Amino acid sequence: ELNRRANQLAHYLRELGVGPDARVAICLERRLEMIVGLLGVMKAGGAYVPLDPAFPSERLGYMLEDSGPAVVLTQSHLRGLVETAAATYAVVELADDAPFWQRYGEGNLEAPSNGVTPETLAYVIYTSGSTGKPKGVMVQHRSVVNRLVWMQSVYGLNSDDVVLQKTPFTFDVSVWEFFCPLIIGASLVVARPEGHKDPEYLRETIAGERITTIHFVPSMLQAFVDEGDWTECASLERVICSGEALPAKLVRSFYDRMMNTELHNLYGPTEAAVDVTAWSCPPEINVTAVPIGAPMNNVGIYILDRHGEPVPIGIAGELHIGGVQVARGYLNRSELTGERFVPDPFTSEQGQRLYKTGDLGKWRADGAIEFLGRNDFQVKVRGYRVELGEIEARLAECEAVGEAVVMLREEAAGDKRLVAYYTQSDDQEIAADALRQQLAARLPEYMLPSAYVRLAQMPLTPNGKLDRKAL
């Protein structure tokens, strides 16, 4: 039934001009409709652009303008978020317009011919941008397929497996949550909106639906481990972690409660189709830093020094990613694409590129990689990649704010939060609540600082630069 409805939608989208590399924005809340929309777009040959209805209208407007969709799939109560006087795209209310688009494909319920190749665009997911504007990462079909095929070859899901899809679809982990179970005939259970933040709801869902495979950002896994009774989660066969560094202490706590469940640590940026390395955490872990593992099939990982030369084992360098999972680049950002996606000097194959991650790591003697953090001001908060510069730019736009700096603080292990430091532009007093309210109109919730510190002036180093350590 799901496949039939997706095929009908695909036929209709083809009538609207959707084909290879055409972009279709999806702004939906209902999860079943969301899956129909995702599959319909792909079957039509288009690339989907996920839009979270909870995002501020300004951000949604920018993403719509930047992505230039041919069609927007939405719901009637969300239409006001995506429809403007200047819109050049068609708007389809997936539920209310269903009697119309479901007529398409009648008598031919196969998917339409769409001309898709491995190099065709599959999706565009927006991530935080250091310039104050989010940037759209363009990922091709070959990249997604390689990631899904690797997962199946390693974890071997089958028709008895049940995968819980709980990651917001604006976050790329959702890609394998949606498509892995569907391509191999496993069951897909879709969590309620915001359910990924509620440990008790997740526990009830795991028990009630007999979930076998689930993803956690480490900070959420910590909350899950610390609360409730794990005996009701005995169906879990594998827990997959990514999005943040996985603490060794958390691995030990996990196995104290779930000895019969596998725990896997994965790593990868949005610019390389979700994940590119993996490491299976042993129950008897004896390391202080949990490795991010070895490269996946058809992926090359290079740890290079500032001269672009490979570093020896045990020496820190910047992680560079090559191979089929590297994204096409950033939508409408050719200069930034040229900076971050550079020619691959380690292959003779024409046109291959390396993605400069900005992450630091080192090779271990056993061939696994140890993650060492960032070499810039990009951070991870609850699994979301955040450019501090984007928050700073928006904070500086707020009324009565002069200078603005945002930092990630970790007062206790695993308790990470964003803290904003600011000066006033005049004598006008501005309360933290007022600042947060202004920012909430410009940024999604996960990018909002939790604390605001007003300073008379920013601390400077002797050479006049901002002294971040003094904040």
Side-chain angles (χ1 to χ4, degrees):
E1 174 64 15
L2 180 66
N3 201 44
R4 182 181 66 81
R5 291 174 63 184
N7 287 345
Q8 290 172 321
L9 178 60
H11 281 283
Y12 181 47
L13 292 175
R14 293 289 288 174
E15 289 286 327
L16 294 177
V18 174
D21 275 19
R23 294 174 290 278
V24 178
I26 301 179
C27 185
L28 293 170
E29 287 177 342
R30 295 195 188 110
R31 296 303 185 98
L32 177 59
E33 290 175 1
M34 183 184 292
I35 298 171
V36 172
L38 292 174
L39 291 176
V41 171
M42 290 215 168
K43 287 170 178 286
Y48 74 89
V49 183
L51 303 179
D52 189 334
F55 281 178
S57 58
E58 179 183 329
R59 192 177 184 88
L60 289 174
Y62 172 79
M63 293 164 69
L64 282 166
E65 180 182 359
D66 187 63
S67 63
V71 179
V72 176
L73 303 181
T74 190
Q75 295 160 267
S76 57
H77 69 286
L78 300 175
R79 189 169 186 134
L81 295 177
V82 300
E83 194 170 47
T84 65
T88 58
Y89 44 77
V91 177
V92 178
E93 295 177 8
L94 213 52
D96 292 353
D97 292 341
F100 179 73
W101 61 258
Q102 285 181 352
R103 296 203 305 265
Y104 282 79
E106 287 183 357
N108 176 21
L109 296 183
E110 297 298 316
S113 175
N114 57 29
V116 167
T117 70
E119 286 70 38
T120 300
L121 207 58
Y123 60 79
V124 178
I125 286 182
Y126 279 80
T127 67
S128 181
S130 58
T131 62
K133 297 288 188 181
K135 52 187 183 288
V137 180
M138 299 184 289
V139 177
Q140 298 164 307
H141 278 272
R142 68 172 192 163
S143 303
V144 182
V145 170
N146 191 77
R147 171 60 178 79
L148 298 180
V149 169
W150 170 86
M151 186 169 187
Q152 184 58 19
S153 69
V154 173
Y155 302 137
L157 276 66
N158 57 48
S159 59
D160 294 328
D161 278 291
V162 184
V163 178
L164 181 62
Q165 198 291 307
K166 66 180 184 65
T167 305
F169 80 145
T170 51
F171 188 28
D172 64 349
V173 166
S174 66
V175 173
W176 73 253
E177 287 180 331
F178 279 122
F179 297 119
C180 252
L182 294 180
I183 65 173
I184 53 91
S187 296
L188 173 63
V189 174
V190 182
R192 72 185 186 198
E194 300 298 302
H196 64 290
K197 300 178 181 179
D198 185 345
E200 187 56 37
Y201 163 75
L202 291 177
R203 205 178 313 278
E204 293 173 357
T205 304
I206 291 169
E209 302 289 347
R210 305 296 296 167
I211 302 297
T212 65
T213 304
I214 192 172
H215 173 271
F216 278 105
V217 173
S219 55
M220 190 61 207
L221 179 62
Q222 183 71 66
F224 195 75
V225 165
D226 290 343
E227 297 180 22
D229 182 7
W230 275 75
T231 57
E232 56 195 286
C233 300
S235 63
L236 280 179
E237 297 180 15
R238 60 192 70 82
V239 170
I240 297 169
C241 271
S242 68
E244 296 171 339
L246 178 61
K249 183 178 179 181
L250 176 54
V251 176
R252 297 185 185 99
S253 298
F254 175 86
Y255 280 122
D256 284 344
R257 295 161 175 79
M258 295 290 288
M259 181 58 72
N260 296 321
T261 303
E262 300 171 0
L263 181 61
H264 301 274
N265 189 33
L266 277 59
Y267 160 84
T270 305
E271 288 85 348
V274 192
D275 304 296
V276 290
T277 69
W279 195 69
S280 295
C281 303
E284 300 82 19
I285 190 168
N286 58 359
V287 296
T288 55
V290 178
I292 58 174
M296 296 177 177
N297 299 343
N298 304 311
V299 172
I301 301 294
Y302 305 91
I303 304 180
L304 309 179
D305 62 20
R306 60 191 180 92
H307 303 293
E309 296 293 331
V311 298
I313 292 172
I315 302 299
E318 182 180 359
L319 291 169
H320 291 63
I321 302 169
V324 301
Q325 285 185 212
V326 175
R328 182 186 293 178
Y330 298 114
L331 181 65
N332 302 326
R333 304 282 284 276
S334 57
E335 185 176 343
L336 183 60
T337 296
E339 291 175 7
R340 306 303 297 183
F341 296 84
V342 299
D344 185 349
F346 305 106
T347 180
S348 59
E349 191 175 344
Q350 286 290 104
Q352 295 302 301
R353 297 164 304 144
L354 297 179
Y355 171 65
K356 294 165 56 72
T357 67
D359 290 330
L360 298 175
K362 65 180 181 181
W363 290 107
R364 303 195 324 171
D366 62 0
I369 299 168
E370 189 174 316
F371 179 75
L372 301 175
R374 293 290 302 174
N375 67 358
D376 56 18
F377 297 124
Q378 185 185 96
V379 298
K380 284 288 187 75
V381 181
R382 299 192 302 278
Y384 290 96
R385 191 175 69 179
V386 173
E387 291 277 6
L388 297 181
E390 180 176 0
I391 308 175
E392 291 171 351
R394 293 308 194 190
L395 183 58
E397 294 172 356
C398 291
E399 182 181 352
V401 171
E403 297 178 276
V405 177
V406 178
M407 294 185 67
L408 184 69
R409 293 294 190 195
E410 188 170 11
E411 305 299 336
D415 181 21
K416 296 179 180 179
R417 61 177 183 156
L418 294 168
V419 178
Y421 301 85
Y422 67 98
T423 62
Q424 291 185 188
S425 60
D426 50 39
D427 295 333
Q428 179 182 349
E429 289 285 338
I430 182 167
D433 287 346
L435 276 181
R436 183 179 174 88
Q437 187 174 357
Q438 289 186 60
L439 281 179
R442 297 174 167 91
L443 296 170
E445 187 275 334
Y446 68 85
M447 294 178 69
L448 297 179
S450 59
Y452 298 80
V453 181
R454 179 164 52 87
L455 301 173
Q457 61 183 30
M458 292 291 175
L460 302 177
T461 63
N463 63 1
K465 293 183 178 180
L466 175 68
D467 187 356
R468 288 180 176 268
K469 291 183 180 180
L471 288 171

